[in-house]
Amino acid sequence: MIDTKDALKAPPAGHRGDQELEIVPVRNYGRWIAAVISLTALAGLVGSLAKNHNLHWDIVGDYLFAHLVFDGLGTTLWLTAAAMTLGLGLGTLIAVMRLSSSPVLYGIATAFVWVFRGTPLLVQIIFWGYAAALYKYVKIGIPFTDITFFQTETNALLTPAIAALLALGLNEAAYASEIVRAGIQSVDPGQTEAAHSLGMRPALTMRRIVLPQAMRVIIPPMGNETINMLKMTALVSVISAHDLMSNIQDVYAQNYQVIPMLVVASLWYLALVSVLSVPQAWLERRYGRGTSRGGHASPLRRMLGGAAGLLGNGRIGNGRIGKKNKEDGR
């Protein structure tokens, strides 16, 4: 016969008295070895570049803040903002047309995406830059008649900057339309049905109900498109649009210092991309709430969070668990 009083007095299995549980984190030796190797290789590369006299760091320093470079930066930023505005506005319209039940609107929008997404951007830039070879004059009037409301020479209207804007904006519209279309299709169709049941018209439903909910899917990739657009503006140098890359090419065509001038351009592009990456990362976290995981955090945030987690686990292990053991021992 088992004595219940003695069973209650007996210590539970695995009882350690007043000793506290020690939490030991998993040691990833392979990760530390890979980190040391990577940092060593990176330090060697940076040191090699810093000591390379062929880079002519004195020339890089002379032109890094030159007036010609700042003029090109202004054009680059202007082209980026204007092309993204044109691409997003026109892309939204094309996305709605592709989702339309009208076969004509759907066909026109599909053909637009097919042409501008199917041809290289460099080809489109050159095409718009030399559009005067196809049409000498730009006319606005009634088709198939001699009635003309507006007429001007193509070269006077399509300056290199305008040609670059058209090429970048129309190309971006083709890609933006697919992003917007994906965002619209991600919204539950029940939202549209509920809006229609309340008497809202399709245009109002799209503007007030569907598009605001689609922003969660649309805005994060649009941040990537903005950064990509900033770098793609370098292609307009083929038509001398006086952007950053165009001015850099003008300089090294005279002093023949190609590599140092390309370093100047690379440093400025890296700086601008770094600045744009901050709001882009914030938008991804802002519109990804509820669906984002820990992997979406920045490396610095993950490191700080991991360190805080280790400290927190140590406090829990030494505090609550240790306290519980003392109570059990008592």
Side-chain angles (χ1 to χ4, degrees):
M1 182 174 181
I2 301 176
D3 190 357
T4 57
K5 294 183 179 181
D6 294 337
L8 293 175
K9 293 180 181 180
H15 181 70
R16 299 179 59 183
D18 293 338
Q19 297 182 4
E20 298 178 356
L21 293 178
E22 182 180 359
I23 299 177
V24 180
V26 178
R27 294 178 174 84
N28 299 310
Y29 296 106
R31 183 184 303 173
W32 284 104
I33 293 173
V36 171
I37 294 175
S38 301
L39 289 177
T40 303
L42 179 61
L45 177 61
V46 173
S48 175
L49 292 174
K51 296 179 180 179
N52 194 329
H53 299 289
N54 294 325
L55 283 176
H56 298 286
W57 291 106
D58 54 337
I59 298 178
V60 173
D62 292 339
Y63 284 95
L64 188 61
F65 300 102
H67 181 72
L68 190 68
V69 172
F70 282 112
D71 288 343
L73 284 174
T75 304
T76 295
L77 294 175
W78 173 81
L79 280 176
T80 302
M84 285 304 302
T85 302
L86 175 61
L88 183 57
L90 185 58
T92 303
L93 177 61
I94 294 172
V96 175
M97 290 173 62
R98 292 201 69 187
L99 295 173
S100 174
S101 57
S102 172
V104 176
L105 296 179
Y106 173 80
I108 294 175
T110 303
F112 179 91
V113 174
W114 175 67
V115 170
F116 286 95
R117 197 176 60 171
T119 55
L121 177 58
L122 183 60
V123 174
Q124 298 176 32
I125 293 174
I126 298 175
F127 175 85
W128 286 107
Y130 294 91
L134 182 62
Y135 291 103
K136 187 176 181 180
Y137 297 97
V138 175
K139 300 179 181 180
I140 299 177
I142 300 177
F144 309 110
T145 65
D146 296 332
I147 301 176
T148 302
F149 303 112
F150 174 80
Q151 178 178 341
T152 184
E153 291 187 359
T154 304
N155 284 331
L157 182 63
L158 291 181
T159 61
I162 299 300
L165 174 60
L166 287 175
L168 294 173
L170 295 178
N171 181 267
E172 178 59 32
Y175 288 93
S177 66
E178 294 300 289
I179 296 175
V180 174
R181 184 172 65 89
I184 293 175
Q185 291 180 333
S186 68
V187 179
D188 190 348
Q191 300 288 328
T192 302
E193 296 175 359
H196 290 170
S197 66
L198 295 176
M200 298 180 66
R201 295 184 176 182
L204 183 61
T205 301
M206 179 64 65
R207 188 174 68 253
R208 299 293 298 274
I209 304 298
V210 178
L211 285 179
Q213 298 184 64
M215 289 296 106
R216 180 180 61 84
V217 178
I218 294 174
I219 286 187
M222 278 300 172
N224 291 327
E225 287 294 313
T226 304
I227 293 175
N228 194 35
M229 176 63 69
L230 175 66
K231 296 181 294 183
M232 287 193 302
T233 56
L235 295 177
V236 304
S237 60
V238 296
I239 57 175
S240 300
H242 300 292
D243 67 310
L244 174 60
M245 195 61 195
S246 299
N247 292 353
I248 290 293
Q249 287 179 343
D250 292 340
V251 174
Y252 71 63
Q254 298 177 9
N255 61 10
Y256 302 103
Q257 299 295 332
V258 179
I259 298 300
M261 297 310 302
L262 290 180
V263 171
V264 172
S266 300
L267 291 176
W268 275 112
Y269 281 119
L270 285 173
L272 294 176
V273 168
S274 300
V275 172
L276 289 178
S277 297
V278 175
Q280 190 257 347
W282 179 83
L283 287 173
E284 285 188 354
R285 293 194 300 268
R286 173 67 175 79
Y287 286 92
R289 293 183 302 178
T291 59
S292 61
R293 300 178 181 177
H296 292 284
S298 63
L300 179 61
R301 185 181 294 271
R302 291 202 298 268
M303 287 191 295
L304 295 178
L310 290 177
L311 293 176
N313 291 336
R315 286 195 297 268
I316 293 175
N318 295 330
R320 296 180 181 177
I321 298 178
K323 183 178 180 181
K324 185 177 185 300
N325 289 336
K326 291 181 181 180
E327 292 176 354
D328 292 341
R330 184 178 59 190

